[in-house]
Amino acid sequence: MGHYAFTPPPVISLPILGSNEQGSDDRFPVRRIYCVGRNYTEHVREMGGDPTRSTPMFFTKSRETIVETGTELPYPPQTTDLHYEVELVVAMAGRTEIFGYGVGLDMTRRDLQADAKNAGMPWDMAKNFDNSAPCSALVKAGNAPGINRAEIRLTNNGVTKQKSTLDKMIWSVSEIIAHLNNTVTLAAGDLIYTGTPEGVGPALAGETLIGTITGLPSIEVTYV
Ligand code: MN
């Protein structure tokens, strides 16, 4: 076998909360990132959609868009309307097995998304850009009882902007996994951002976003 033409990119991974207490520093190596759109009725409405006429849908991000909690981020280029979307992140241990959960921010260049929607073009440049998928440390599924009814919240500079509960998802976690596996093959390392509740809005330079779900570690990023 020959040599790689350049050094292969590093493995992208997330910390697993609590593993240090057990004498390990295990991390979760990320494979693909799937995202669910239109998975909360009130968010469909705030985006101008009709929840009785739409169903949830999927899009993807590259794993290189992951950033860990506590990170300072540059305001991204090509937008004047960067939006936060706080979401439950499901980490897969196999095709159907759940490894654990985290809290993610599906950062969105809303102006580019609106342009894409109007033109009938793909969302990629609105969703899949540098640093667009902040994610907290992960908690193993067995250590997250009651997650399916937990409260989800986003604060911007301490002000609550999004607040809901995970039982309001149109497709539950198990339904999302079933739908995805009818379309692609999920595998260990895959992350699923499961959609956002109502209250999405802009993030500006100088603002700190904190996403929380009861029972999980938080995700915090600051735009500089
Ligand atoms: Mn989203």
Side-chain angles (χ1 to χ4, degrees), residues 35 59-61 65 67 73-76 79 81-87 104-110 113 123-135 154 156 162 193 196 201-204 207 209-210 219 221-223:
C35 303
F59 58 94
T60 60
K61 298 198 184 210
T65 63
V67 294
L73 297 175
Y75 193 87
T79 185
D81 199 20
L82 176 69
H83 272 208
Y84 46 75
E85 298 189 355
V86 66
E87 314 200 353
L105 300 179
D106 166 20
M107 298 307 298
T108 303
R109 293 191 281 209
R110 194 70 76 198
Q113 186 190 36
W123 290 12
D124 296 54
M125 292 302 104
K127 289 288 196 178
N128 189 3
F129 57 94
D130 295 358
N131 305 315
S132 66
C135 190
L154 180 130
N156 184 350
Q162 294 187 270
Y193 285 58
T196 199
L204 304 173
E207 294 182 338
L209 307 176
I210 302 179
I219 175 69
V221 296
T222 298
Y223 284 90

Side-chain angles (χ1 to χ4, degrees), residues 21-191:
E21 296 162 16
Q22 293 145 23
S24 129
D25 56 358
D26 288 350
R27 294 179 65 91
F28 182 88
V30 177
R31 183 177 176 264
R32 295 174 175 170
I33 303 176
Y34 296 98
C35 303
V36 185
R38 305 194 293 233
N39 202 27
Y40 289 78
T41 298
E42 291 307 317
H43 174 60
V44 174
R45 288 207 179 96
E46 76 178 348
M47 295 301 292
D50 178 351
T52 67
R53 297 175 63 89
S54 70
T55 55
M57 42 76 74
F58 295 109
F59 58 94
T60 60
K61 298 198 184 210
S62 306
R63 57 178 168 252
E64 291 79 8
T65 63
I66 294 264
V67 294
E68 291 187 34
T69 194
T71 306
E72 290 191 341
L73 297 175
Y75 193 87
Q78 301 294 346
T79 185
T80 56
D81 199 20
L82 176 69
H83 272 208
Y84 46 75
E85 298 189 355
V86 66
E87 314 200 353
L88 171 71
V89 177
V90 179
M92 299 302 293
R95 188 163 185 270
T96 59
E97 303 80 35
I98 296 172
F99 177 89
Y101 302 98
V103 187
L105 300 179
D106 166 20
M107 298 307 298
T108 303
R109 293 191 281 209
R110 194 70 76 198
D111 38 6
L112 297 193
Q113 186 190 36
D115 290 347
K117 284 181 178 177
N118 289 335
M121 299 292 279
W123 290 12
D124 296 54
M125 292 302 104
K127 289 288 196 178
N128 189 3
F129 57 94
D130 295 358
N131 305 315
S132 66
C135 190
S136 73
L138 303 178
V139 167
K140 290 184 179 176
N143 294 332
I147 191 70
N148 292 331
R149 297 178 303 284
E151 181 185 277
I152 182 170
R153 182 190 294 257
L154 180 130
T155 65
N156 184 350
N157 276 358
V159 179
T160 296
K161 298 293 188 180
Q162 294 187 270
K163 183 171 176 293
S164 189
T165 51
L166 297 180
D167 57 5
K168 296 211 169 59
M169 288 197 290
I170 295 169
W171 282 352
S172 67
V173 169
S174 58
E175 289 170 331
I176 290 167
I177 291 169
H179 280 287
L180 270 172
N181 271 317
N182 285 335
T183 311
V184 293
T185 305
L186 289 171
D190 288 346
L191 297 180

